Amino acid sequence: MTAMVFAAGAVALWSTNALVGKSLLASHPVSQVQFLQFTGAALVFAVIRLMSRERVAPVMAGAALISLAVGFIGLVGTMVLQYIAFASMPVIEANLMAYTWPLMVAAAVIALENPRRPALLGLAAVVGFVGVALVISGGRNQSWLQGDLVGYLAAFGSALCMAFYSIMVGRVATSPDRLLLPSSLIGVALTFLWCARDGGAWPVGMDLALGLYLGAGPMGLGYYFWSRALKLEGSGKVAVVAYLTPIASTLLLTLSGERLTMTAIAGAVLVIGSCAAVGVERSEAENHV
């Protein structure tokens, strides 16, 4: 039950990410938004770490490097690529593509594990990627690649990074706060250098608060809650909850004025439906173990 609560908290926070990010990117460069995000996340992870009563055991150098790589790819890779996609293509399309990571996890399960119904998982993954193709082709004016090609590649890369993190986070012994704090600090340093290169006026007032919220909320607490959920129960049972994210985030974007054509809507339904099917299948598989 605790794992489901953590997973639901992560989904609630993640669902606001694209909407808030869209509003900030309308007037600020990606580098500044990312710097505020990583700063907010680092503060959250630092506070959690200070409040933690966990005793730090000695860690082998190899294990420490693996943990650092998992955290860096999962946090820095996912978020930087996701926001490059947000800035390079319609946000509603980038959001749907970035949340195809459950389908990538399903593909990994088929390849690396022994799922109960591999054909069903494979079919769900194929249907999901067909949905992605429809989103890309029908999102704007019924033509392909209306956004920058870099944006589509970044969205796909973001999904790959999150899939990798979701598979690996439960397999490393490091606690979520110790896993994510170093990566967030690296993110702060890298995005600060990025901001120094781009220049421009810094966000103030409400924009500053929203940028820090993106870090403390969807990135900071969202990742922490999701990591705790995966460590408590694995990715099977909590997956069904996580796959609600594209539904909620797409709904919020639609209410804010973002629009999809009927072709792209059909693609979105396929993406969301295939994600849900993968989640149910993996949850049932874990219940039978």
Side-chain angles (χ1 to χ4, degrees), residues 48 56 90 95 105 121 136 198 232 263 266 283:
I48 293 173
V56 180
N95 186 64
V105 172
L121 280 175
I136 295 172
D198 288 351
L232 286 170
T263 301
S283 178

Side-chain angles (χ1 to χ4, degrees), residues 81-161:
L81 290 173
Q82 184 181 83
Y83 270 74
I84 290 174
F86 283 173
S88 306
M89 60 187 288
V91 172
I92 195 167
E93 297 175 13
N95 186 64
L96 283 167
M97 289 186 66
Y99 279 106
T100 57
W101 61 262
L103 308 179
M104 297 178 182
V105 172
V109 169
I110 294 171
L112 303 175
E113 299 179 12
N114 186 26
R116 293 174 60 244
R117 288 178 283 191
L120 179 60
L121 280 175
L123 178 61
V126 169
V127 168
F129 287 118
V130 169
V132 170
L134 290 176
V135 168
I136 295 172
S137 66
R140 292 289 182 88
N141 302 322
Q142 297 293 337
S143 59
W144 283 83
L145 302 176
Q146 283 293 309
D148 190 326
L149 178 60
V150 171
Y152 292 97
L153 294 175
F156 188 76
S158 175
L160 278 174
C161 289

Side-chain angles (χ1 to χ4, degrees), residues 19 79-80 100 159 167 181 195 200 218 228 244 253 259 264 283:
L19 179 62
M79 298 308 297
V80 169
T100 57
I167 292 170
L181 178 56
C195 287
R228 286 291 304 273
L244 295 174
L253 286 170
R259 291 293 180 265
S283 178

Side-chain angles (χ1 to χ4, degrees), residues 12-275:
L13 292 166
W14 286 344
S15 298
T16 66
N17 178 55
L19 179 62
V20 178
K22 171 194 168 186
S23 68
L24 287 177
L25 289 172
S27 54
H28 301 286
V30 179
S31 56
Q32 291 181 358
V33 176
Q34 287 279 273
F35 175 74
L36 291 176
Q37 278 189 293
F38 280 105
T39 299
L43 290 172
V44 166
F45 296 142
V47 169
I48 293 173
R49 185 66 201 141
L50 289 173
M51 295 174 61
S52 175
R53 298 181 180 179
E54 178 194 15
R55 298 181 63 182
V56 180
V59 180
M60 298 291 291
L65 286 175
I66 291 173
S67 295
L68 182 61
V70 171
F72 181 82
I73 293 172
L75 186 69
V76 181
T78 299
M79 298 308 297
V80 169
L81 290 173
Q82 184 181 83
Y83 270 74
I84 290 174
F86 283 173
S88 306
M89 60 187 288
V91 172
I92 195 167
E93 297 175 13
N95 186 64
L96 283 167
M97 289 186 66
Y99 279 106
T100 57
W101 61 262
L103 308 179
M104 297 178 182
V105 172
V109 169
I110 294 171
L112 303 175
E113 299 179 12
N114 186 26
R116 293 174 60 244
R117 288 178 283 191
L120 179 60
L121 280 175
L123 178 61
V126 169
V127 168
F129 287 118
V130 169
V132 170
L134 290 176
V135 168
I136 295 172
S137 66
R140 292 289 182 88
N141 302 322
Q142 297 293 337
S143 59
W144 283 83
L145 302 176
Q146 283 293 309
D148 190 326
L149 178 60
V150 171
Y152 292 97
L153 294 175
F156 188 76
S158 175
L160 278 174
C161 289
M162 190 59 188
F164 171 80
Y165 181 78
S166 295
I167 292 170
M168 293 299 297
V169 67
R171 304 186 182 191
V172 296
T174 310
S175 63
D177 50 300
R178 290 180 60 204
L179 184 70
L180 295 167
L181 178 56
S183 298
S184 64
L185 292 174
I186 293 173
V188 170
L190 292 177
T191 53
F192 177 78
L193 295 175
W194 191 4
C195 287
R197 189 199 68 173
D198 288 351
W202 281 90
V204 295
M206 182 57 71
D207 284 355
L208 176 62
L210 288 174
L212 292 174
Y213 163 75
L214 284 175
M219 185 186 288
L221 290 176
Y223 262 83
Y224 178 73
F225 289 163
W226 180 241
S227 302
R228 286 291 304 273
L230 290 176
K231 283 185 173 293
L232 286 170
E233 287 196 13
S235 58
K237 295 179 181 179
V238 301
V240 179
V241 178
Y243 300 153
L244 295 174
T245 307
I247 300 175
S249 57
T250 301
L251 176 61
L252 288 176
L253 286 170
T254 301
L255 292 175
S256 75
E258 288 280 322
R259 291 293 180 265
L260 291 169
T261 65
M262 290 306 297
T263 301
I265 289 172
V269 170
L270 291 180
V271 170
I272 293 168
S274 60
C275 285

